[in-house]
Amino acid sequence: MLEAIIFDMDGVLVDSEYTYFQSKSQILREAGHEVEESYHFQFMGTTGEYMWEQMKQEFSLPLSVPEYIQQMTDLRQAMIKRDGIKVIPHVQAFVKGLSEAGLKLAVASSSSLAEIKVSLAEIGLSNYFSEVVSTEEVTHSKPAPDVYLAAAERLGVNPENCLGIEDTKNGTGAVRNAGMVCVGFANPAFPKQDLAFADTVVSTFSELDAESLVKIYQEVRKHHA
């Protein structure tokens, strides 16, 4: 029985990917390396540590990983201050509807806990999520299931009674590895992601509600029974 919906944040609740792309491009440019925006697509759904370890190796960058993460964070915060936090279309009404239908809601994100809380407050959804979990609180980042399993545990729900919503290959992999039903969100505003691990893929939240998620959940469980 479907009891809980667990959301990724970046690219599902808030449109923050562009701040990662632009800040990293700027830092790399200043270090003498020009990259296309598409270069960053491979890192969608991963952690800051992972991204900078890879880029440090690839471009023989002189500073430490924590220093680059700090630079990226500072640049991103300046962008967010300038532009505000952009919400994904229709997601606010979708989340509120799920809450009203009595489903338990949580966030499982690769962003820092501080950033998750600020973003949810900014888009007016803090009160709808009873639990928020950051990968900084668990041992392994996505596609390992740790952050989703932690969210289910805090909600007091068996993972098999949860549905996760993700927009990247690593994210959908994490939901699948946690033994949950997965809805992939193919954001029309973003580059196409590999969502092969998702049980079903949607491109807008305007047509989804608690009833349709229950239907998706039951179909998947019946199919795998």
Side-chain angles (χ1 to χ4, degrees):
M1 181 183 137
L2 181 61
E3 294 177 55
I5 313 295
I6 304 174
F7 285 78
D8 172 40
M9 183 178 77
D10 295 296
V12 173
L13 297 171
V14 299
D15 174 1
S16 50
E17 299 294 357
Y18 81 98
T19 65
Y20 287 102
F21 297 165
Q22 289 177 17
S23 59
K24 287 185 290 175
S25 286
Q26 186 178 329
I27 294 166
L28 290 174
R29 192 181 311 118
E30 286 165 5
H33 307 283
E34 281 288 344
V35 296
E36 297 287 321
E37 186 180 79
S38 57
Y39 169 77
H40 301 296
F41 300 166
Q42 63 183 309
F43 299 122
M44 288 174 78
T46 63
T47 63
E49 283 79 10
Y50 175 81
M51 288 190 283
W52 282 107
E53 274 161 16
Q54 299 300 310
M55 291 188 289
K56 186 173 160 59
Q57 230 171 340
E58 187 176 339
F59 299 112
S60 305
L61 299 171
L63 303 180
S64 69
V65 167
E67 285 172 299
Y68 284 116
I69 289 173
Q70 191 56 56
Q71 282 186 20
M72 177 179 76
T73 302
D74 293 345
L75 285 169
R76 289 186 59 241
Q77 281 172 347
M79 286 177 209
I80 289 166
K81 207 169 179 178
R82 182 191 70 205
D83 304 334
I85 287 171
K86 298 179 181 179
V87 65
I88 297 290
H90 312 295
V91 83
Q92 287 150 313
F94 175 48
V95 167
K96 289 171 187 175
L98 297 179
S99 176
E100 283 158 15
L103 288 160
K104 293 183 176 186
L105 303 179
V107 170
S109 169
S110 296
S111 289
S112 70
L113 207 50
E115 195 167 333
I116 299 169
K117 289 181 173 173
V118 166
S119 297
L120 291 181
E122 183 89 10
I123 62 172
L125 292 179
S126 301
N127 297 340
Y128 295 92
F129 293 99
S130 50
E131 297 296 337
V132 297
V133 188
S134 160
T135 44
E136 64 185 10
E137 301 175 86
V138 296
T139 312
H140 304 106
S141 55
K142 302 173 184 178
D146 301 27
V147 70
Y148 275 92
L149 295 175
E153 193 179 332
R154 290 187 197 177
L155 288 171
V157 176
N158 189 317
E160 68 185 39
N161 297 330
C162 298
L163 180 147
I165 302 179
E166 276 280 359
D167 70 319
T168 63
K169 182 180 182 180
N170 282 324
T172 53
V175 177
R176 168 70 62 93
N177 291 333
M180 301 177 181
V181 171
C182 182
V183 170
F185 175 52
N187 189 330
F190 288 171
K192 198 165 163 37
Q193 293 291 306
D194 175 0
L195 300 176
F197 292 126
D199 293 296
T200 189
V201 175
V202 300
S203 57
T204 177
F205 291 124
S206 61
E207 292 146 23
L208 279 188
D209 56 15
E211 204 178 320
S212 55
L213 288 187
V214 166
K215 209 170 278 178
I216 290 166
Y217 174 86
Q218 287 171 340
E219 279 297 310
V220 173
R221 288 293 179 236
K222 196 167 74 187
H223 184 66
H224 293 302

Short mmCIF file of all heavy atoms in Angstrom, two decimals, residues 41-90:
data_model
loop_
_atom_site.label_atom_id
_atom_site.label_comp_id
_atom_site.label_asym_id
_atom_site.label_seq_id
_atom_site.Cartn_x
_atom_site.Cartn_y
_atom_site.Cartn_z
N PHE A 41 26.38 17.92 -17.58
CA PHE A 41 25.22 17.03 -17.48
C PHE A 41 25.56 15.72 -16.78
O PHE A 41 24.74 15.13 -16.10
CB PHE A 41 24.61 16.74 -18.86
CG PHE A 41 24.13 17.96 -19.60
CD1 PHE A 41 23.82 17.88 -20.96
CD2 PHE A 41 23.97 19.19 -18.96
CE1 PHE A 41 23.38 19.00 -21.65
CE2 PHE A 41 23.53 20.31 -19.65
CZ PHE A 41 23.23 20.21 -21.01
N GLN A 42 26.80 15.25 -16.98
CA GLN A 42 27.23 13.97 -16.38
C GLN A 42 27.17 14.00 -14.85
O GLN A 42 27.11 12.95 -14.21
CB GLN A 42 28.66 13.65 -16.83
CG GLN A 42 29.67 14.68 -16.35
CD GLN A 42 31.08 14.44 -16.84
OE1 GLN A 42 31.60 13.35 -16.70
NE2 GLN A 42 31.69 15.46 -17.42
N PHE A 43 27.22 15.21 -14.27
CA PHE A 43 27.27 15.31 -12.81
C PHE A 43 25.90 15.54 -12.16
O PHE A 43 25.81 15.65 -10.95
CB PHE A 43 28.22 16.44 -12.38
CG PHE A 43 29.65 16.24 -12.82
CD1 PHE A 43 30.28 17.18 -13.62
CD2 PHE A 43 30.36 15.11 -12.44
CE1 PHE A 43 31.60 17.00 -14.04
CE2 PHE A 43 31.67 14.91 -12.85
CZ PHE A 43 32.29 15.86 -13.65
N MET A 44 24.86 15.63 -12.98
CA MET A 44 23.53 15.88 -12.40
C MET A 44 23.15 14.73 -11.47
O MET A 44 23.26 13.58 -11.84
CB MET A 44 22.49 16.08 -13.51
CG MET A 44 22.64 17.41 -14.23
SD MET A 44 21.55 17.59 -15.66
CE MET A 44 19.98 17.97 -14.86
N GLY A 45 22.75 15.07 -10.26
CA GLY A 45 22.35 14.03 -9.29
C GLY A 45 23.51 13.51 -8.45
O GLY A 45 23.32 12.59 -7.66
N THR A 46 24.72 14.09 -8.62
CA THR A 46 25.85 13.66 -7.78
C THR A 46 26.15 14.72 -6.72
O THR A 46 25.51 15.76 -6.69
CB THR A 46 27.13 13.43 -8.64
OG1 THR A 46 27.52 14.69 -9.23
CG2 THR A 46 26.89 12.42 -9.74
N THR A 47 27.14 14.48 -5.88
CA THR A 47 27.48 15.43 -4.81
C THR A 47 28.57 16.39 -5.26
O THR A 47 29.31 16.12 -6.22
CB THR A 47 28.00 14.68 -3.57
OG1 THR A 47 29.21 14.00 -3.94
CG2 THR A 47 26.99 13.69 -3.04
N GLY A 48 28.70 17.50 -4.53
CA GLY A 48 29.76 18.48 -4.79
C GLY A 48 31.14 17.85 -4.70
O GLY A 48 32.03 18.13 -5.51
N GLU A 49 31.32 16.97 -3.71
CA GLU A 49 32.62 16.30 -3.52
C GLU A 49 32.98 15.48 -4.75
O GLU A 49 34.08 15.57 -5.27
CB GLU A 49 32.58 15.35 -2.31
CG GLU A 49 32.67 16.03 -0.96
CD GLU A 49 31.35 16.64 -0.51
OE1 GLU A 49 30.30 16.38 -1.16
OE2 GLU A 49 31.37 17.40 0.48
N TYR A 50 32.01 14.70 -5.22
CA TYR A 50 32.27 13.84 -6.38
C TYR A 50 32.62 14.69 -7.61
O TYR A 50 33.60 14.42 -8.30
CB TYR A 50 31.04 12.96 -6.67
CG TYR A 50 31.18 12.14 -7.93
CD1 TYR A 50 31.90 10.95 -7.92
CD2 TYR A 50 30.64 12.57 -9.14
CE1 TYR A 50 32.06 10.20 -9.08
CE2 TYR A 50 30.80 11.84 -10.30
CZ TYR A 50 31.51 10.64 -10.27
OH TYR A 50 31.68 9.92 -11.42
N MET A 51 31.81 15.73 -7.87
CA MET A 51 32.04 16.58 -9.05
C MET A 51 33.44 17.16 -9.05
O MET A 51 34.16 17.10 -10.04
CB MET A 51 31.06 17.76 -9.05
CG MET A 51 29.65 17.40 -9.35
SD MET A 51 28.60 18.86 -9.63
CE MET A 51 28.29 19.48 -8.01
N TRP A 52 33.80 17.73 -7.91
CA TRP A 52 35.10 18.44 -7.87
C TRP A 52 36.28 17.48 -7.83
O TRP A 52 37.35 17.80 -8.33
CB TRP A 52 35.12 19.45 -6.73
CG TRP A 52 34.35 20.67 -7.11
CD1 TRP A 52 33.11 21.05 -6.66
CD2 TRP A 52 34.72 21.64 -8.10
NE1 TRP A 52 32.70 22.18 -7.30
CE2 TRP A 52 33.67 22.57 -8.19
CE3 TRP A 52 35.84 21.81 -8.93
CZ2 TRP A 52 33.70 23.67 -9.07
CZ3 TRP A 52 35.88 22.89 -9.80
CH2 TRP A 52 34.82 23.80 -9.86
N GLU A 53 36.09 16.31 -7.25
CA GLU A 53 37.18 15.31 -7.30
C GLU A 53 37.46 14.93 -8.76
O GLU A 53 38.61 14.85 -9.19
CB GLU A 53 36.80 14.05 -6.49
CG GLU A 53 37.14 14.18 -5.01
CD GLU A 53 36.38 13.19 -4.14
OE1 GLU A 53 35.83 12.22 -4.69
OE2 GLU A 53 36.34 13.41 -2.92
N GLN A 54 36.36 14.71 -9.52
CA GLN A 54 36.51 14.34 -10.94
C GLN A 54 37.17 15.47 -11.74
O GLN A 54 38.07 15.24 -12.54
CB GLN A 54 35.14 14.00 -11.56
CG GLN A 54 34.41 12.84 -10.91
CD GLN A 54 35.18 11.54 -10.97
OE1 GLN A 54 35.67 11.14 -12.03
NE2 GLN A 54 35.34 10.89 -9.83
N MET A 55 36.68 16.70 -11.53
CA MET A 55 37.19 17.84 -12.31
C MET A 55 38.62 18.19 -11.90
O MET A 55 39.43 18.58 -12.74
CB MET A 55 36.25 19.04 -12.16
CG MET A 55 34.92 18.83 -12.84
SD MET A 55 33.87 20.29 -12.89
CE MET A 55 33.38 20.44 -11.18
N LYS A 56 38.93 18.03 -10.63
CA LYS A 56 40.29 18.30 -10.14
C LYS A 56 41.28 17.37 -10.84
O LYS A 56 42.34 17.79 -11.30
CB LYS A 56 40.34 18.13 -8.62
CG LYS A 56 41.66 18.53 -7.98
CD LYS A 56 41.56 18.49 -6.46
CE LYS A 56 42.92 18.39 -5.81
NZ LYS A 56 43.84 19.49 -6.14
N GLN A 57 40.89 16.11 -10.94
CA GLN A 57 41.72 15.10 -11.62
C GLN A 57 41.85 15.41 -13.11
O GLN A 57 42.95 15.46 -13.66
CB GLN A 57 41.04 13.74 -11.46
CG GLN A 57 41.97 12.66 -10.97
CD GLN A 57 41.17 11.40 -10.64
OE1 GLN A 57 39.97 11.43 -10.43
NE2 GLN A 57 41.85 10.29 -10.61
N GLU A 58 40.71 15.64 -13.74
CA GLU A 58 40.67 15.84 -15.19
C GLU A 58 41.47 17.06 -15.64
O GLU A 58 42.17 17.03 -16.65
CB GLU A 58 39.21 15.98 -15.65
CG GLU A 58 39.06 16.01 -17.15
CD GLU A 58 37.61 16.05 -17.60
OE1 GLU A 58 36.72 15.67 -16.81
OE2 GLU A 58 37.37 16.46 -18.73
N PHE A 59 41.35 18.17 -14.87
CA PHE A 59 41.99 19.42 -15.29
C PHE A 59 43.23 19.77 -14.46
O PHE A 59 43.76 20.86 -14.57
CB PHE A 59 40.98 20.58 -15.20
CG PHE A 59 39.78 20.39 -16.10
CD1 PHE A 59 38.52 20.17 -15.55
CD2 PHE A 59 39.90 20.43 -17.48
CE1 PHE A 59 37.40 20.01 -16.36
CE2 PHE A 59 38.80 20.27 -18.30
CZ PHE A 59 37.55 20.05 -17.75
N SER A 60 43.68 18.83 -13.61
CA SER A 60 44.82 19.08 -12.70
C SER A 60 44.68 20.42 -11.98
O SER A 60 45.58 21.27 -12.04
CB SER A 60 46.15 19.05 -13.50
OG SER A 60 46.26 17.85 -14.20
N LEU A 61 43.56 20.60 -11.32
CA LEU A 61 43.28 21.88 -10.65
C LEU A 61 44.12 22.02 -9.37
O LEU A 61 44.29 21.05 -8.64
CB LEU A 61 41.79 21.99 -10.32
CG LEU A 61 40.83 21.94 -11.53
CD1 LEU A 61 39.39 21.84 -11.07
CD2 LEU A 61 41.02 23.16 -12.42
N PRO A 62 44.60 23.23 -9.09
CA PRO A 62 45.55 23.41 -7.98
C PRO A 62 44.94 23.42 -6.57
O PRO A 62 45.59 22.98 -5.63
CB PRO A 62 46.18 24.77 -8.28
CG PRO A 62 45.16 25.50 -9.08
CD PRO A 62 44.44 24.46 -9.88
N LEU A 63 43.70 23.90 -6.42
CA LEU A 63 43.14 24.04 -5.07
C LEU A 63 42.56 22.71 -4.57
O LEU A 63 42.42 21.76 -5.32
CB LEU A 63 42.06 25.12 -5.04
CG LEU A 63 42.47 26.53 -5.50
CD1 LEU A 63 41.29 27.48 -5.41
CD2 LEU A 63 43.63 27.07 -4.67
N SER A 64 42.19 22.70 -3.29
CA SER A 64 41.61 21.48 -2.71
C SER A 64 40.12 21.40 -3.07
O SER A 64 39.49 22.42 -3.38
CB SER A 64 41.75 21.49 -1.19
OG SER A 64 40.92 22.50 -0.64
N VAL A 65 39.57 20.20 -2.99
CA VAL A 65 38.14 19.99 -3.28
C VAL A 65 37.26 20.89 -2.39
O VAL A 65 36.38 21.59 -2.89
CB VAL A 65 37.76 18.49 -3.16
CG1 VAL A 65 36.25 18.30 -3.14
CG2 VAL A 65 38.39 17.70 -4.31
N PRO A 66 37.51 20.95 -1.05
CA PRO A 66 36.67 21.83 -0.22
C PRO A 66 36.74 23.31 -0.64
O PRO A 66 35.74 24.03 -0.56
CB PRO A 66 37.24 21.65 1.19
CG PRO A 66 37.87 20.30 1.17
CD PRO A 66 38.42 20.14 -0.22
N GLU A 67 37.90 23.75 -1.12
CA GLU A 67 38.02 25.15 -1.56
C GLU A 67 37.16 25.40 -2.80
O GLU A 67 36.50 26.43 -2.92
CB GLU A 67 39.49 25.49 -1.87
CG GLU A 67 40.33 25.68 -0.61
CD GLU A 67 41.81 25.84 -0.91
OE1 GLU A 67 42.42 24.90 -1.48
OE2 GLU A 67 42.36 26.91 -0.58
N TYR A 68 37.16 24.45 -3.73
CA TYR A 68 36.32 24.60 -4.93
C TYR A 68 34.83 24.55 -4.58
O TYR A 68 34.03 25.29 -5.15
CB TYR A 68 36.67 23.55 -5.98
CG TYR A 68 37.96 23.86 -6.69
CD1 TYR A 68 39.06 23.02 -6.58
CD2 TYR A 68 38.10 25.02 -7.47
CE1 TYR A 68 40.27 23.33 -7.23
CE2 TYR A 68 39.28 25.33 -8.11
CZ TYR A 68 40.37 24.48 -7.99
OH TYR A 68 41.54 24.78 -8.62
N ILE A 69 34.48 23.67 -3.65
CA ILE A 69 33.07 23.58 -3.23
C ILE A 69 32.63 24.91 -2.63
O ILE A 69 31.54 25.41 -2.90
CB ILE A 69 32.87 22.41 -2.23
CG1 ILE A 69 33.02 21.08 -2.97
CG2 ILE A 69 31.48 22.50 -1.56
CD1 ILE A 69 33.00 19.86 -2.07
N GLN A 70 33.51 25.51 -1.82
CA GLN A 70 33.21 26.80 -1.20
C GLN A 70 33.02 27.89 -2.26
O GLN A 70 32.06 28.67 -2.20
CB GLN A 70 34.32 27.20 -0.21
CG GLN A 70 33.96 28.40 0.68
CD GLN A 70 32.67 28.19 1.46
OE1 GLN A 70 32.54 27.23 2.21
NE2 GLN A 70 31.69 29.05 1.27
N GLN A 71 33.92 27.91 -3.24
CA GLN A 71 33.80 28.89 -4.33
C GLN A 71 32.49 28.72 -5.07
O GLN A 71 31.78 29.68 -5.37
CB GLN A 71 34.95 28.71 -5.34
CG GLN A 71 36.27 29.29 -4.89
CD GLN A 71 37.33 29.21 -6.01
OE1 GLN A 71 37.00 29.07 -7.19
NE2 GLN A 71 38.59 29.30 -5.64
N MET A 72 32.15 27.45 -5.38
CA MET A 72 30.90 27.15 -6.09
C MET A 72 29.69 27.60 -5.27
O MET A 72 28.77 28.23 -5.79
CB MET A 72 30.82 25.65 -6.39
CG MET A 72 29.54 25.21 -7.07
SD MET A 72 29.49 23.42 -7.43
CE MET A 72 29.16 22.74 -5.80
N THR A 73 29.73 27.29 -3.97
CA THR A 73 28.62 27.67 -3.08
C THR A 73 28.44 29.18 -3.04
O THR A 73 27.32 29.69 -3.13
CB THR A 73 28.87 27.11 -1.66
OG1 THR A 73 29.02 25.69 -1.76
CG2 THR A 73 27.72 27.42 -0.71
N ASP A 74 29.55 29.91 -2.93
CA ASP A 74 29.48 31.37 -2.88
C ASP A 74 28.88 31.95 -4.17
O ASP A 74 28.02 32.83 -4.12
CB ASP A 74 30.88 31.98 -2.66
CG ASP A 74 31.43 31.64 -1.26
OD1 ASP A 74 30.63 31.21 -0.40
OD2 ASP A 74 32.65 31.81 -1.05
N LEU A 75 29.35 31.42 -5.30
CA LEU A 75 28.83 31.90 -6.59
C LEU A 75 27.34 31.56 -6.75
O LEU A 75 26.55 32.39 -7.22
CB LEU A 75 29.62 31.27 -7.76
CG LEU A 75 31.02 31.83 -8.01
CD1 LEU A 75 31.76 30.93 -8.99
CD2 LEU A 75 30.95 33.25 -8.56
N ARG A 76 26.97 30.35 -6.35
CA ARG A 76 25.56 29.94 -6.46
C ARG A 76 24.67 30.79 -5.58
O ARG A 76 23.57 31.19 -5.97
CB ARG A 76 25.39 28.46 -6.09
CG ARG A 76 25.97 27.50 -7.13
CD ARG A 76 25.67 26.06 -6.79
NE ARG A 76 24.23 25.85 -6.72
CZ ARG A 76 23.59 25.44 -5.63
NH1 ARG A 76 24.25 25.14 -4.54
NH2 ARG A 76 22.29 25.28 -5.64
N GLN A 77 25.16 31.09 -4.36
CA GLN A 77 24.35 31.91 -3.45
C GLN A 77 24.14 33.32 -4.01
O GLN A 77 23.06 33.90 -3.87
CB GLN A 77 24.98 31.94 -2.06
CG GLN A 77 24.66 30.65 -1.30
CD GLN A 77 25.41 30.51 0.02
OE1 GLN A 77 26.36 31.24 0.29
NE2 GLN A 77 24.99 29.56 0.83
N ALA A 78 25.17 33.83 -4.67
CA ALA A 78 25.03 35.16 -5.30
C ALA A 78 23.98 35.12 -6.41
O ALA A 78 23.16 36.04 -6.55
CB ALA A 78 26.38 35.60 -5.86
N MET A 79 23.96 34.03 -7.19
CA MET A 79 22.96 33.89 -8.26
C MET A 79 21.55 33.78 -7.69
O MET A 79 20.60 34.38 -8.20
CB MET A 79 23.24 32.62 -9.08
CG MET A 79 24.41 32.73 -10.01
SD MET A 79 24.64 31.12 -10.85
CE MET A 79 26.38 31.21 -11.14
N ILE A 80 21.42 32.98 -6.62
CA ILE A 80 20.11 32.78 -6.00
C ILE A 80 19.60 34.09 -5.39
O ILE A 80 18.42 34.42 -5.47
CB ILE A 80 20.16 31.63 -4.96
CG1 ILE A 80 20.31 30.28 -5.70
CG2 ILE A 80 18.90 31.60 -4.10
CD1 ILE A 80 20.71 29.11 -4.81
N LYS A 81 20.54 34.86 -4.82
CA LYS A 81 20.18 36.16 -4.25
C LYS A 81 19.67 37.08 -5.36
O LYS A 81 18.72 37.83 -5.19
CB LYS A 81 21.43 36.76 -3.59
CG LYS A 81 21.12 37.71 -2.46
CD LYS A 81 22.37 38.05 -1.69
CE LYS A 81 22.03 39.04 -0.58
NZ LYS A 81 23.19 39.36 0.22
N ARG A 82 20.34 36.99 -6.51
CA ARG A 82 19.98 37.84 -7.66
C ARG A 82 18.65 37.39 -8.28
O ARG A 82 17.77 38.20 -8.57
CB ARG A 82 21.10 37.73 -8.70
CG ARG A 82 20.93 38.58 -9.95
CD ARG A 82 21.96 38.18 -11.00
NE ARG A 82 21.67 36.85 -11.57
CZ ARG A 82 22.59 36.06 -12.10
NH1 ARG A 82 23.87 36.41 -12.12
NH2 ARG A 82 22.25 34.88 -12.61
N ASP A 83 18.48 36.06 -8.49
CA ASP A 83 17.32 35.55 -9.24
C ASP A 83 16.19 35.03 -8.36
O ASP A 83 15.09 34.79 -8.85
CB ASP A 83 17.75 34.37 -10.14
CG ASP A 83 18.88 34.76 -11.10
OD1 ASP A 83 18.99 35.94 -11.42
OD2 ASP A 83 19.64 33.85 -11.50
N GLY A 84 16.48 34.78 -7.08
CA GLY A 84 15.52 34.08 -6.23
C GLY A 84 15.58 32.59 -6.54
O GLY A 84 16.24 32.18 -7.50
N ILE A 85 14.91 31.78 -5.73
CA ILE A 85 14.90 30.34 -5.99
C ILE A 85 13.73 30.06 -6.93
O ILE A 85 12.59 30.45 -6.66
CB ILE A 85 14.77 29.54 -4.66
CG1 ILE A 85 16.10 29.62 -3.90
CG2 ILE A 85 14.40 28.08 -4.93
CD1 ILE A 85 16.08 29.07 -2.51
N LYS A 86 14.03 29.42 -8.04
CA LYS A 86 12.98 29.15 -9.04
C LYS A 86 12.30 27.83 -8.70
O LYS A 86 12.98 26.83 -8.52
CB LYS A 86 13.61 29.07 -10.43
CG LYS A 86 14.28 30.36 -10.89
CD LYS A 86 14.89 30.17 -12.28
CE LYS A 86 15.59 31.43 -12.75
NZ LYS A 86 16.20 31.23 -14.08
N VAL A 87 10.99 27.87 -8.67
CA VAL A 87 10.24 26.64 -8.37
C VAL A 87 9.89 25.94 -9.69
O VAL A 87 9.67 26.58 -10.71
CB VAL A 87 8.97 26.97 -7.54
CG1 VAL A 87 7.98 27.82 -8.34
CG2 VAL A 87 8.30 25.71 -7.04
N ILE A 88 9.88 24.61 -9.66
CA ILE A 88 9.47 23.83 -10.84
C ILE A 88 7.95 24.03 -11.05
O ILE A 88 7.18 23.94 -10.09
CB ILE A 88 9.79 22.32 -10.62
CG1 ILE A 88 11.31 22.09 -10.48
CG2 ILE A 88 9.20 21.47 -11.75
CD1 ILE A 88 12.15 22.28 -11.71
N PRO A 89 7.52 24.31 -12.27
CA PRO A 89 6.10 24.57 -12.52
C PRO A 89 5.17 23.46 -11.98
O PRO A 89 5.48 22.28 -12.11
CB PRO A 89 6.01 24.64 -14.05
CG PRO A 89 7.39 25.04 -14.49
CD PRO A 89 8.33 24.43 -13.49
N HIS A 90 4.07 23.89 -11.38
CA HIS A 90 2.98 23.02 -10.88
C HIS A 90 3.33 22.17 -9.66
O HIS A 90 2.47 21.45 -9.15
CB HIS A 90 2.45 22.08 -11.99
CG HIS A 90 2.16 22.76 -13.28
ND1 HIS A 90 1.16 23.71 -13.41
CD2 HIS A 90 2.76 22.66 -14.51
CE1 HIS A 90 1.15 24.16 -14.66
NE2 HIS A 90 2.11 23.54 -15.34
#
